[in-house]
Amino acid sequence: MTTLLWFRSDLRLADNPALAYAAASGEPVVPVFILDDQDCDAWAPGGASRWWLHGSLSALDHDLRKLGSHGLILRRGPAQDAIAALVAQTQAKAVVWNRRYEPWAVALDGRIKAGLRAKGIEARSFNATLLCEPSTFANLQGQPYKVFTPFWKSLRATVPVPTPIAAPAHMTPLAKSLASDALASWALRPTRPDWAGGLNAHWTPGEAGAQARLQTFLDDGLLTYRERRNLPGQAGTSGLSPHLHFGEIGPWQVWRAAVTAASAQTGDPMTPGVETFLSEVAWREFSAHLLFHFPTLPTAPLRPQFERFPWRVDAKALSAWQKGLTGYPIVDAGMRQLWTTGWMHNRVRMIVASFLIKHLLLDWRDGEAWFWDTLVDADLASNAASWQWVAGSGADAAPYFRIFNPITQGEKFDPDGAYVRRWVPELGRLSNGVIHAPWTASAIELSAAQVRLGQDYPRPIVDHFVARARALEALAHIKTDREQDVAR
Ligand SMILES: Cc1cc2nc3c(=O)[nH]c(=O)nc-3n(C[C@H](O)[C@H](O)[C@H](O)COP(=O)(O)OP(=O)(O)OC[C@H]3O[C@@H](n4cnc5c(N)ncnc54)[C@H](O)[C@@H]3O)c2cc1C
């Protein structure tokens, strides 16, 4: 009896319940990945995600062949049609997969399951990507959590750590060979212009790359995570987000590895570094739960009064932000890190998002869309929840009136200017005292550092204090009386 194993955002062999289930029968397994840009509600993967997907599929194909499989079968969507065609071609009696939780994916799963079962074909799905699934986790009133801390406390206290699932030693291939698209024909990677040089240099997509990155973090970053995670000039975080997004590693694998490493290194499985790290992993979880329960999260503010927010439309300002030419060094460093590597440090994501929304008064959805296209870890839930968090319009969000000062944020979290020097090299010779506000440097300092403001590096496109006042005024349009009191 042949089983079709439909890979989605679970591109790994170990700790993969659908794969383990399919392989355990000893019967032929046909592993398939479907590129389906039509079923995802206008959220087809962006450029950086497509670059990653190419590498991840190539690695998975390689790993599957080592198990004895004929390799990954590639088909283009719609997924339901592609699966129906494959079932007919292989005479499969079962289709198994690991679930995704985006609203479009939940709907698609339902349609596919119903269609297969109507034809008498076994359709079975599993959880491989979350610590706990949104459909089974609620607060004491049976409602979805909207605040992170109780969500995290309850997750820690009530969700049991599952037993790891080993990668199978062997996968029985189908006797006949099947047609597959060539990965190159999907053109997931850029050719001309090839903007992906920095991505190639920074990342190794695939399960082995994920494990290597995890190991580096366990050795060098885990125990100091709490102290270093906010310092973008240091490699103080795991860099696991794209690997987690594509399911090259699962959150329970990360959890178990962190606890085991801390135990071995300190005797305490929940040292403060581990506790903080796992709570960040839980933010990913919280975001997935929010999106599941509030499916309009990527497109509409959760707090409806933000529908009335007087966003500006300013293509020039948006372009300056995207290119890292705002005149605020920490903002520009972040945007250039993003463009070059497909990733940006979390602290700086918050700073650049706050700058777009509050200093430029541009709609958070403009930022969300840019991140969607340029992040290798672009994730519908985490991206939307984080943008709404910064905007103040989301669940458990930062209050809108808390406006990051990009100068003091830079001074606090990049005190030696290492991050700015790396990504904005034209400011590299400025002293620590002025590197986060070059317009405050004297003419002599600027000249000694070979910086001509307005030529080598822009002057600020908005004045911080003027922009702050403008943002608070805009907020007054939408606030209730009670919120005005809190803001005062
Ligand atoms: C405006 C904005 C947009 C964002 N968009 C995304 C996105 O599209 N995809 C994405 O994965 N993360 C997003 N984040 C969250 C966070 O910035 C990244 O997950 C983190 O920087 C990834 O780096 P890391 O793997 O080194 O994280 P670590 O600090 O090592 O954390 C470990 C893991 O926990 C998860 N995590 C950590 N912080 C958060 C968080 N605040 N929210 C959700 N999950 C978190 C990630 O999976 C991460 O890999 C966004 C944050 C902001 C402020």
Side-chain angles (χ1 to χ4, degrees):
M1 182 187 105
T2 300
T3 299
L4 212 61
L5 171 61
W6 177 26
F7 277 101
R8 310 176 79 201
S9 53
D10 54 342
L11 306 179
R12 65 179 185 272
L13 302 187
D15 225 38
N16 184 326
L19 184 152
Y21 177 84
S25 68
E27 301 283 338
V29 177
V30 176
V32 55
F33 182 88
I34 301 162
L35 183 65
D36 181 358
D37 285 342
Q38 292 151 63
D39 275 315
C40 44
D41 260 358
W43 291 105
S49 296
R50 294 173 105 78
W51 175 89
W52 190 286
L53 182 63
H54 178 109
S56 197
L57 293 176
S58 168
L60 180 63
D61 177 65
H62 175 260
D63 295 346
L64 284 165
R65 287 175 194 273
K66 286 206 287 195
L67 296 184
S69 159
H70 291 329
L72 195 59
I73 301 297
L74 302 177
R75 295 283 168 92
R76 278 199 109 118
Q80 194 164 8
D81 296 348
I83 287 176
L86 277 162
V87 166
Q89 283 161 22
T90 59
Q91 302 296 303
K93 292 283 176 286
V95 183
V96 299
W97 65 88
N98 294 307
R99 290 184 277 276
R100 295 183 66 138
Y101 302 89
E102 297 92 340
W104 62 264
V106 174
L108 178 65
D109 279 22
R111 290 200 300 277
I112 291 181
K113 251 184 200 162
L116 290 169
R117 287 179 182 161
K119 290 187 189 146
I121 292 161
E122 179 187 347
R124 195 180 282 258
S125 66
F126 301 82
N127 168 28
T129 51
L130 291 180
L131 298 170
C132 63
E133 294 191 288
S135 54
T136 60
F137 192 69
N139 66 17
L140 289 176
Q141 291 74 44
Q143 298 297 316
Y145 284 97
K146 285 193 194 165
V147 181
F148 175 73
T149 303
F151 172 87
W152 167 228
K153 280 190 179 155
S154 169
L155 195 163
R156 265 198 68 181
T158 62
V159 179
V161 181
T163 314
I165 307 170
H170 176 71
M171 189 182 271
T172 308
L174 198 65
K176 66 172 186 177
S177 65
L178 275 175
S180 167
D181 289 359
L183 183 55
S185 75
W186 286 359
L188 296 171
R189 290 209 159 161
T191 46
R192 257 177 262 152
D194 182 0
W195 43 259
L199 278 67
N200 286 313
H202 276 83
W203 301 103
T204 309
E207 189 168 9
Q211 288 297 332
R213 199 165 273 273
L214 173 66
Q215 197 54 52
T216 302
F217 176 67
L218 297 178
D219 294 342
D220 303 333
L222 180 64
L223 296 186
T224 54
Y225 181 77
R226 196 147 87 155
E227 296 75 38
R228 298 202 302 149
R229 72 187 192 92
N230 268 313
L231 305 175
Q234 300 193 19
T237 69
S238 71
L240 282 170
S241 50
H243 298 289
L244 277 163
H245 172 74
F246 285 91
E248 299 164 355
I249 191 166
W252 281 121
Q253 289 178 293
V254 174
W255 183 294
R256 286 189 217 99
V259 166
T260 308
S263 206
Q265 290 170 32
T266 69
D268 178 2
M270 272 291 177
T271 60
V274 176
E275 168 88 36
T276 310
F277 175 64
L278 294 180
S279 76
E280 291 302 319
V281 175
W283 270 99
R284 169 180 180 271
E285 208 74 15
F286 183 56
S287 306
H289 283 232
L290 286 176
L291 177 61
F292 182 87
H293 291 293
F294 305 98
T296 59
L297 188 74
T299 49
L302 279 189
R303 299 176 66 203
Q305 66 267 42
F306 274 81
E307 296 280 15
R308 302 196 300 274
F309 197 87
W311 302 113
R312 291 184 329 118
V313 174
D314 182 342
K316 217 170 138 199
L318 179 61
S319 168
W321 179 82
Q322 290 170 337
K323 290 183 176 141
L325 291 172
T326 67
Y328 285 92
I330 191 82
V331 174
D332 294 339
M335 298 308 293
R336 296 184 198 184
Q337 179 182 33
L338 172 62
W339 180 253
T340 306
T341 69
W343 184 89
M344 193 196 302
H345 189 277
N346 181 58
R347 166 59 47 184
V348 191
R349 291 189 203 201
M350 292 194 283
I351 297 170
V352 304
S354 175
F355 189 84
L356 180 89
I357 295 166
K358 298 174 187 183
H359 285 75
L360 301 180
L361 280 194
L362 298 180
D363 193 323
W364 59 269
R365 285 160 286 212
D366 291 339
E368 181 194 32
W370 182 251
F371 272 30
W372 183 255
D373 198 31
T374 53
L375 276 173
V376 286
D377 64 22
D379 178 270
L380 195 59
S382 294
N383 199 32
S386 301
W387 276 98
Q388 291 228 32
W389 186 88
V390 178
S393 61
D396 201 5
Y400 182 90
F401 57 81
R402 193 169 296 155
I403 295 171
F404 277 137
N405 177 331
I407 307 151
T408 51
Q409 285 284 312
E411 288 165 352
K412 185 168 175 196
F413 295 110
D414 185 33
D416 58 2
Y419 182 71
V420 164
R421 284 194 179 85
R422 172 150 192 216
W423 296 109
V424 190
E426 62 268 38
L427 301 181
R429 293 188 195 85
L430 284 175
S431 69
N432 294 349
V434 294
I435 195 160
H436 290 292
W439 61 93
T440 63
S442 67
I444 293 171
E445 273 178 296
L446 286 170
S447 158
Q450 294 166 29
V451 178
R452 288 163 303 170
L453 279 185
Q455 292 180 52
D456 303 311
Y457 183 72
R459 295 179 192 284
I461 58 170
V462 281
D463 174 85
H464 167 65
F465 294 100
V466 172
R468 187 174 189 283
R470 182 175 68 172
L472 291 175
E473 203 180 302
L475 182 65
H477 281 275
I478 63 162
K479 271 190 307 189
T480 62
D481 291 345
R482 199 189 65 77
E483 284 168 326
Q484 300 234 22
D485 288 344
V486 176
R488 264 182 218 126

